[in-house]
Every structure is written in C-alpha cells, then in structure tokens.
Amino acid sequence: MSLELTMKKDGRFNLIDDSTVSIDLPSGEALPGEHLRICPQGYTCCTSDMEDSLAVLSRREMEGLLKEAGRSLHTSLTGQYKAFDGYILELINRSAISLQDTFTATWGLTYSQNSQVFSDLYTDLRQYCRGSNVNLEEVLNEFWARLLEKLFYQANRQNVIGEDYLECVSKQIETLRPFGDIPRAMKMMVTRTFVSARSFIRGLVVSGEVVRKVSQVQLSQECMRAMMRMTYCPHCRGMSSARPCANYCSNVMKGCLANQADLNTEWRHLAETMMQVAGRFDGPSGVDAVVLSLPSRISEAMLTMTDNMETINSKLFQACGNLREGGTSSTGVDEMKRGRVTVEDRLETSSNKMDKLVSDVTVRLRDLQSYWVSLPSLLCSDRVATGTGAEEKCWNGMSRARYLPEVMGDGLASQINNPEVEIDITKPDMTIRQQIMQLKIMTHRLKNALNGQDVDFQDTSDDVSGSGSGMCTEETCSKGPRLVEPITDRPVHYPYPPENKKVKALANQNLPCVTIYLLPLLILLLRR
C-alpha cells in the first residue's frame, strides 16, 4: 500500500491511491508538539489522534508489503512443486501405459488374466508420490510374491492348485529366487528414486508454507512506532518530501524483521539439501530412466522365470508337495513360451524436461538462500533517499540530516542496541520459531532421503492442510505409525538488553502544515 499527495495549481490536493480524489483544504498552523508520543516533540502539524491513526496506517502498509513479498515467493515455490509433482505422475502414467501396450502384445493371456497385479503396483507408486503412507519395500515384495503365484498358477493349469498351496509358493521366493537378481536391483533403484522425489516435492511444499505463515505474522507495537517515525513523522514536521536515510531505514527494517531473519540458517540448510537431492533426478539413474524402464525390467524377470520353470516347479514341489491333476487340459508353460518377446521401451527417450525442471528449481533455490536477511534491503529499496547529497538531506528520524548510528546485524540477538526499534530479545516470536523447527525437520528428512531412507510425512503437526498441496489428499491415503523426530537445538536464551535511551530534539517552529490535514481524510477513505 502506498499513498501519494500532489498539489494542484489552484491550491487543491489530490489523493492518489486506487482512485483520485480532489479535496479543498484550509491553511493550517503549526502546534506545539508536547502531545506527541511517537514523533519528535517539536512544533508539528499533527494532533494526537492523527499520530495514532498514522501509526496504524504505517503498520498496515508494512504488513501489506510483507504479505505481498511472501505471496510472490509462495506462488513461485508452489509453481515449482506443481511442475515436479505433475511430471513425476506423468512419468508413472506413461510407464503404466507402456507396460499395458507391450505386455498385451508379448504376454497375451498371461498378462490379460493377471493385469491387476501390475495395475496395483502402479497405483501404489502413485499413492506414494502423493503422500500416502505406503511402504515401498513392502509394495515391491508383495508385487513379486503375487507375480510368482500368478505365473506358477499359469504354468500349472493342468493341476488343481488351492490358496494354501499358492501361499506356500510365495513364501519360497527368497530361497528360490525365481526372477533372478532383478527384484533386488529394482527395489534398490525404485526406493532410492521415489524416496528422493517425494521428499523433494514435500520440501517445496513445506518451504512455501513457511513463507506463507511467516508473511502473516503481525508486527509488534514497537515496530509500528518505528515505522511511523520513519514514514509519516516527516509529514507531521511539514517535510512531506523528505525520504528516509538508507542506514536509518535499514535499522528500522532489521529491527522489525529480526525474528524473520532468524530463519536464515535453517532456510539455507533446506535449500542446499534440496539442491543436492535435485541433482539426482536426471542422468542414467534419474527419475525418467528408472520409471520408464519398469516394464522392460519386469518382463525380463518374467522371462527368467519361464526359462527356468521346470527347475522352479521341481523345487516348489519338494517344498510345498506334489500337485493333483484335474485342471484345464492345456499346458500353461507352452502358452507362456509362445508369448516370449523381449519388451522394448517404445516410449521415446524423455525430453530434456526433467533437466530443465532441475535447472530452474536449482537456480531458484540458490537465489532464495538469503531471502530472509535480504528483506530489509528489499523493503527499503523503493523508499530511501538516493542521489547527490542524499545523505545530508534525508530524514534521520529527527530532522533532515545525516544518519549517524551504525547499521545493526541480522537476527534477533543483533538488535540489542538497535537505536530505532525497542526489542526484547529474550522473547522470540513463537510462530516463527515453529517454522524454524519445520525447516529443521524437513532438512533432516531430505538428508535421510539422500541415504535412501524413507520417512512418513503425516506426523508433522504443522504440516499443510487444505492448501492444495496434493500430499495425501486422496481418500486412499491411510494413516500409519508416527515418526518420532530427533530433538534439535535447544532454544537460545539471551541476556536482558539495556533500555533504549529516549532522545529529544528541538524542531523548527514555523512549519508548512497544509498537507497534514489531508491525512485523517485519507485514513477514513482507506477504511471504507
């Protein structure tokens, strides 16, 4: 929000906001300023009520700027999340279609009569990527066990095979290894790839939500007073054209955004870890290659079993007992062999879309690493005095003159001697501390993902709900055991700061006060 006052040649004033309003104003006289509680107590154009109203207005303006900056960043991160989430689901769907097309042609009845086994696998993979409490290792183990049962049944249809016998068959999969080494290799690839992908997507969601929630934190009364002194006290002194000194604005903003700056360390850690995870998404072992190769790997495993069906049958008969004839007259093994054609991945090599997604998000994350400590400079950039002689003619909180105090550092602990904003550094904002914890937890999970360790995302009390994130939003998502996160750093307790000293200064007694009478009317218009 911003206001602009312009004087017309006939002595009338325009308020330029979303609309333009012309107002006739009488001339005004300067008043003694002993009644002022925020602005310098020299001669002034402001009454106490005007000063209070302007303080509220400055706070509303500042909070509006913070929300707008946060909204822009949140939108950017949400866009990155949707791009990754959508593309990975697209890959899963393309892989499923490829399997259906090629298996229908190459495996015939063996596939069509058992297609549910394969479609269930892809359903579980989709649910996992969308945040459902799905254990990938269990999903893959169940898939191979069911596939063994189905292929054994298909190859021995001339015999009577009951459920108990099939259960015994599936239990022999570890010792028998009918599919060779493919299940183990596929489990390693799929688990590492999907864990990284889901964790990365979740990292984008969490970082966006942290921005959204922190941007809605209300500013303190001390910040409101400091913003008032910087923004509207020049108007009360008849210096409506005076702009804040650069260092003065920096101290005000660093004080107002001290808690936000404390996000910096964990925010950078999260961004750096996410870039490491993103680096694994492209290349020969990346998401594209792993997902699109699933049909050919599964077909290869099935061919391994059919090639060795006589040996496998012999060992299963020894473990589970002989079968009794009485099934269909045709021999299932012969039909399975007629369908033996190596599956070719007819999906064209995935375009450079993943490469571009990784490149775009990496650049964005790198640019955002210093976001929280850059906010003061960003918010000061369009309001401070610039140009020749600006340091001598800018508003320093008392008058038009050079601003002498040094600029404070970033974060709450650095504000102990901030001359512009009174801050109790022993009382950090709890909402922001909660978001710092969210960043720590998410970084911990991403580091686990780098090591191939899966985590459950449904246990975080501050996780996204109803924000359209796509994480476990379907009815198929199930509740599972809660992951206990490690205790992270203890909160830091700071010593009590010394009281800021109040400074009084003399003000010029003859001030042009006409423009200040606009401000109460402007406030009323804004409240409509």
Side-chain angles (χ1 to χ4, degrees):
M1 181 190 304
S2 61
L3 300 176
E4 183 179 346
L5 302 176
T6 60
M7 179 180 285
K8 300 174 68 177
K9 291 182 179 180
D10 59 3
R12 299 197 307 167
F13 285 82
N14 286 343
L15 159 64
I16 302 175
D17 187 37
D18 293 333
S19 59
T20 300
V21 182
S22 296
I23 311 164
D24 288 311
L25 294 174
S27 60
E29 296 292 337
L31 305 171
E34 288 81 2
H35 58 282
L36 298 179
R37 295 187 298 268
I38 301 176
C39 293
Q41 294 183 337
Y43 273 77
T44 182
C45 305
C46 290
T47 64
S48 296
D49 289 341
M50 292 168 64
E51 187 184 42
D52 292 340
S53 298
L54 289 171
V56 173
L57 181 61
S58 63
R59 177 177 182 172
R60 188 187 309 166
E61 181 183 32
M62 175 67 168
E63 289 180 343
L65 291 173
L66 286 174
K67 288 179 181 178
E68 183 59 33
R71 188 180 300 115
S72 175
L73 178 52
H74 179 263
T75 300
S76 175
L77 292 169
T78 300
Q80 298 280 4
Y81 144 70
K82 289 181 177 179
F84 266 96
D85 184 55
Y87 184 59
I88 290 174
L89 291 177
E90 175 190 331
L91 286 175
I92 295 174
N93 291 336
R94 287 171 58 189
S95 181
I97 293 171
S98 173
L99 185 143
Q100 180 179 353
D101 291 345
T102 54
F103 277 40
T104 299
T106 59
W107 289 99
L109 288 175
T110 302
Y111 169 71
S112 61
Q113 293 177 358
N114 302 291
S115 59
Q116 191 65 40
V117 176
F118 305 96
S119 62
D120 285 349
L121 172 64
Y122 281 99
T123 297
D124 287 335
L125 293 179
R126 291 188 194 95
Q127 290 182 10
Y128 177 84
C129 284
R130 297 196 65 83
S132 177
N133 186 23
V134 173
N135 186 303
L136 279 179
E137 187 171 344
E138 291 180 0
V139 164
L140 293 171
N141 288 341
E142 182 180 358
F143 166 74
W144 292 115
R146 289 179 63 194
L147 186 59
L148 172 59
E149 292 179 10
K150 299 296 184 183
L151 294 183
F152 177 80
Y153 182 85
Q154 197 77 17
N156 295 277
R157 288 187 302 171
Q158 72 277 13
N159 299 313
V160 176
I161 306 176
E163 291 294 330
D164 292 342
Y165 196 94
L166 288 178
E167 183 177 351
C168 175
V169 168
S170 65
K171 290 180 179 179
Q172 310 306 313
I173 192 169
E174 290 295 332
T175 55
L176 195 60
R177 297 183 64 193
F179 302 112
D181 197 47
I182 294 174
R184 185 195 64 81
M186 194 171 117
K187 181 191 299 184
M188 183 181 302
M189 282 195 319
V190 169
T191 300
R192 183 173 292 272
T193 298
F194 277 77
V195 167
S196 296
R198 184 170 81 153
S199 300
F200 182 81
I201 290 171
R202 185 60 179 170
L204 289 172
V205 173
V206 168
S207 57
E209 285 302 295
V210 167
V211 171
R212 183 181 65 84
K213 291 175 181 178
V214 171
S215 299
Q216 294 175 349
V217 171
Q218 290 187 342
L219 299 176
S220 66
Q221 289 293 323
E222 291 77 12
C223 176
M224 180 182 72
R225 293 169 62 87
M227 287 297 302
M228 166 63 186
R229 279 195 301 271
M230 184 176 75
T231 306
Y232 290 114
C233 283
H235 291 268
C236 291
R237 302 265 337 258
M239 304 176 187
S240 57
S241 63
R243 306 186 73 184
C245 301
N247 288 350
Y248 173 41
C249 184
S250 292
N251 275 343
V252 171
M253 294 299 184
K254 283 176 181 285
C256 287
L257 303 176
N259 282 281
Q260 286 84 341
D262 282 344
L263 287 156
N264 180 61
T265 299
E266 296 305 327
W267 180 263
R268 292 181 71 92
H269 287 167
L270 177 62
E272 291 167 357
T273 309
M274 288 181 67
M275 286 189 284
Q276 293 179 35
V277 175
R280 294 186 172 182
F281 288 164
D282 52 4
S285 60
V287 178
D288 298 66
V290 169
V291 176
L292 297 181
S293 68
L294 291 179
S296 61
R297 292 179 183 278
I298 293 172
S299 181
E300 184 181 351
M302 293 169 65
L303 291 173
T304 299
M305 179 171 175
T306 56
D307 283 342
N308 298 283
M309 187 58 71
E310 291 184 6
T311 302
I312 292 171
N313 272 347
S314 175
K315 292 182 177 180
L316 286 175
F317 294 157
Q318 291 179 1
C320 301
N322 293 322
L323 292 173
R324 177 172 55 86
E325 292 187 1
T328 60
S329 57
S330 62
T331 303
V333 175
D334 294 337
E335 289 189 9
M336 293 171 69
K337 287 183 178 180
R338 285 201 300 270
R340 288 186 58 205
V341 178
T342 302
V343 176
E344 295 180 2
D345 184 6
R346 293 182 296 177
L347 287 173
E348 68 279 7
T349 301
S350 185
S351 65
N352 294 327
K353 186 171 182 179
M354 178 58 75
D355 292 346
K356 187 176 186 308
L357 286 173
V358 171
S359 176
D360 289 347
V361 78
T362 300
V363 170
R364 189 65 175 137
L365 290 171
R366 187 176 293 115
D367 292 343
L368 291 176
Q369 286 187 85
S370 60
Y371 174 77
W372 297 108
V373 293
S374 298
L375 267 180
S377 298
L378 177 66
L379 297 177
C380 282
S381 61
D382 62 348
R383 68 172 68 216
V384 300
T386 58
T388 305
E391 292 184 358
E392 303 297 336
K393 298 179 181 179
C394 56
W395 173 255
N396 65 5
M398 304 301 296
S399 62
R400 282 181 183 267
R402 177 183 291 270
Y403 183 74
L404 299 178
E406 64 176 340
V407 177
M408 298 292 103
D410 300 311
L412 189 60
S414 299
Q415 308 310 310
I416 188 169
N417 292 317
N418 192 315
E420 310 305 334
V421 187
E422 297 182 26
I423 301 176
D424 185 352
I425 65 173
T426 66
K427 297 180 180 179
D429 183 272
M430 296 312 299
T431 298
I432 292 178
R433 298 294 142 170
Q434 290 172 358
Q435 298 312 305
I436 291 175
M437 183 59 67
Q438 290 298 305
L439 295 174
K440 287 184 177 182
I441 292 173
M442 191 64 243
T443 301
H444 174 73
R445 288 169 163 169
L446 284 164
K447 289 180 178 179
N448 282 345
L450 284 171
N451 297 322
Q453 299 174 17
D454 202 358
V455 290
D456 174 20
F457 284 113
Q458 299 188 44
D459 62 303
T460 306
S461 60
D462 201 31
D463 274 351
V464 183
S465 59
S467 63
S469 68
M471 298 299 291
C472 201
T473 56
E474 300 177 357
E475 294 180 359
T476 53
C477 292
S478 59
K479 296 293 182 182
R482 299 167 69 89
L483 173 70
V484 178
E485 292 292 342
I487 299 175
T488 52
D489 299 342
R490 296 180 179 272
V492 178
H493 296 281
Y494 302 103
Y496 285 93
E499 295 184 0
N500 286 347
K501 297 180 179 180
K502 301 292 184 179
V503 180
K504 294 186 178 181
L506 297 176
N508 294 329
Q509 296 187 1
N510 297 319
L511 302 174
C513 297
V514 175
T515 59
I516 200 61
Y517 287 95
L518 281 170
L519 297 174
L521 181 56
L522 307 188
I523 296 168
L524 291 175
L525 290 172
L526 289 171
R527 289 176 176 172
R528 289 184 178 181

